[in-house]
Amino acid sequence: MTQKTIELIDRATDRKVNLPVHPGTIGPSVIDIAALNKEFGLFTYDPGFGGTASTDSRITYIDGDAGVLLYRGYPVEQLAERSTFTEVAYLLLHGELPSRKQLDEFTGSIRHHTMINESLLRFFHGFHYDAHPMAMVSAVVASMSAFYHDTMDIYSARQREIFAHRIIAKIPTIAAAAHKHALGQPYVYPRNDLDYCSNLLHMLYAVPCEPYEVDPVAAQALDLLFVLHADHEQNASTSTVRLAGSTGTNPYAAIAAGISALWGPAHGGANEAVLNMLEQIGTVDNIPKFLAQAKDKTSHVRLMGFGHRVYKNFDPRAKIIREMCHKVLARLGRSDNPLFELALRLEEIALQDEYFVERKLYPNVDFYSGIIYSAIGIPRSMFTVMFAIARTVGWVAHWAEMISDPAMRIGRPRQLYTGPTRRDYVEITKRA
Ligand code: SDX
């Protein structure tokens, strides 16, 4: 498709500028506004970046109106049905589905990087027992840059690959150590004979005094949740990783910044907030009263797990997770899960309410995920840590895509200044 341009005319001065329009392979084209400042001395203004592309990317595509999510062109529904988290990790990192040999090598490399330096385990002793696991995980991930100096040359493809395998392999070990620290139980070392999610469950739940058998239903449910949480284009935490990484900082620091951004209740912290909300609502007959609060702006209450900056239709991940809840709860013998029943009724009633319908607010990925995390024994404070484990793959893929782009520049947004004009200093003796 030939590159088009869009002409802008400044009516005040009749000056014109032609701005290039770049088409994507699918989805909206973008206007390249670089000339706008040069020709007109103007900036664009888009708080929250609702209509601004910060980069081009080949990793993930979302059509918010149609409820479409593609990882490297593959529909997330097909990957959820037929792939595994480690295979999806390879796809997101390398851009193609792996051959059997490539997958075995990748899986093998991840398995042989799961241990963390013993000194890193001692970091947990410095945390109070009731520290939030996200605080511990973000701190320990940032500290990895103090240990792995051999993978800090971000312009070496090989060192970028070692970093990618190390962080994807070690973040479950760090997450499980945070959980064990909170329980006051001994850390459980990773086992190389277990797959990615079975290994995580083993590190979370095993204790030294008796054998522990991973429940395959739980491992399979976790693997599917991780596939669905692996990437989501330029969301707040991924954009944080890109912006931090664009300064040339070490990759562990960039990922730690992403973990901190994900923690917010408007983002990945919503899965924990949904369970708290469901517990606060308690019963179906309290739903109307809660929804009235969520619609009242002065209440600062939101229907957590609902709404999305991009999806103005069902989040395809929410639909898959809702179906998963039925299957996983039945297979775990917990079909009569009251919080799941309440969530289903809450969705049904909200989607009949004009406020949510006219604002196109639908369940997002966080609305049902906590039901499954709870059913497989994950404590609520660890829900966002689970999200971080899965999203580490997307963060690494986007960081690597950016760093390996020769055109990469440091990210530095501009602003609309609305503060005081120039004024001179006044001695304190002369102030009012
Ligand atoms: C994730 O970006 C991603 O891709 C994120 C994510 C990923 O995979 O990385 O998908 C993961 O973060 C999912 C979102 C999880 N967050 C929540 O569930 C928290 C509850 N949702 C919201 O706070 C909100 O919907 C956001 C933050 C998700 C989106 O915020 P926007 O796009 O800035 O929307 P908005 O705040 O401008 O809302 C538009 C209107 C407003 O009302 P009006 O001013 O038009 O009258 O809808 C209202 C909002 O008040 N609104 C809600 C609401 N969400 C939006 N009202 C009540 N409850 C809600 N949940």
Side-chain angles (χ1 to χ4, degrees), residues 156-211:
S156 151
R158 178 63 188 134
Q159 291 198 17
R160 289 200 298 269
E161 185 182 39
I162 296 170
F163 152 71
H165 292 190
R166 268 190 172 136
I167 189 73
I168 291 168
K170 295 179 191 314
I171 195 146
T173 310
I174 291 167
H179 176 56
K180 286 302 194 185
H181 176 71
L183 296 177
Q185 288 183 359
Y187 306 118
V188 174
Y189 285 92
R191 276 180 38 187
N192 293 348
D193 61 318
L194 296 176
D195 64 62
Y196 195 85
C197 289
S198 300
N199 192 25
L200 172 56
L201 291 170
H202 177 262
M203 292 189 286
L204 285 169
Y205 300 141
V207 286
C209 30
E210 59 190 30

Side-chain angles (χ1 to χ4, degrees), residues 232 266-267 302-303 305-306 308-309 317 355 359 364 391:
H232 214 235
H267 191 14
R302 285 211 159 178
L303 176 51
F306 253 66
H308 199 278
R309 173 61 58 76
R317 303 167 297 176
Y355 173 94
R359 290 171 179 79
N364 59 49
R391 188 52 59 85

Side-chain angles (χ1 to χ4, degrees), residues 81-102:
E81 178 92 23
R82 301 159 63 183
S83 187
T84 63
F85 178 61
T86 36
E87 183 176 76
V88 164
Y90 184 98
L91 171 66
L92 288 169
L93 291 172
H94 295 278
E96 297 297 336
L97 287 169
S99 64
R100 165 53 58 198
K101 180 172 178 295
Q102 287 167 329

Side-chain angles (χ1 to χ4, degrees), residues 356-384:
F356 297 94
V357 173
E358 71 185 22
R359 290 171 179 79
K360 298 185 177 177
L361 303 175
Y362 290 88
N364 59 49
V365 69
D366 293 306
F367 190 65
Y368 288 106
S369 56
I371 302 287
I372 295 181
Y373 286 137
S374 283
I376 61 177
I378 307 282
R380 204 166 299 176
S381 62
M382 287 288 288
F383 288 1
T384 309

Side-chain angles (χ1 to χ4, degrees), residues 213-257:
E213 199 63 36
V214 175
D215 179 342
V217 174
Q220 194 189 10
L222 196 55
D223 195 275
L224 178 45
L225 284 174
F226 280 8
V227 166
L228 296 173
H229 285 79
D231 191 51
H232 214 235
E233 62 151 80
Q234 306 309 322
N235 59 85
S237 54
T238 301
S239 298
T240 301
V241 170
R242 279 181 173 261
L243 191 58
S246 75
T247 70
T249 189
N250 73 77
Y252 300 100
I255 299 299

